Amino acid sequence: MLARRFTIVCLLMSLFGMFFAILVAEAGRPARSWDEAARTCRLACPTTLRH
């Protein structure tokens, strides 16, 4: 019984640790160049092309 609870706690903590590591890694990454280009193009480029 104790081993089962310990296993469940360890699995939950490892999942939390992986989720937290993903959040920290994403926060530390610089912005991607295509994200910046899409933001500026949305403001400057026409959304509908007329022929």
Side-chain angles (χ1 to χ4, degrees):
M1 189 67 163
L2 185 62
R4 186 181 303 160
R5 287 183 184 169
F6 181 72
T7 304
I8 292 170
V9 168
C10 285
L11 287 173
L12 288 174
M13 291 300 291
S14 64
L15 284 175
F16 174 75
M18 284 189 267
F19 179 70
F20 190 69
I22 290 170
L23 286 178
V24 169
E26 287 293 324
R29 259 188 210 169
R32 291 171 278 201
S33 61
W34 60 83
D35 285 343
E36 294 297 323
R39 280 190 207 137
T40 58
C41 188
R42 249 184 254 146
L43 297 174
C45 298
T47 56
T48 58
L49 298 175
R50 295 180 186 158
H51 297 285

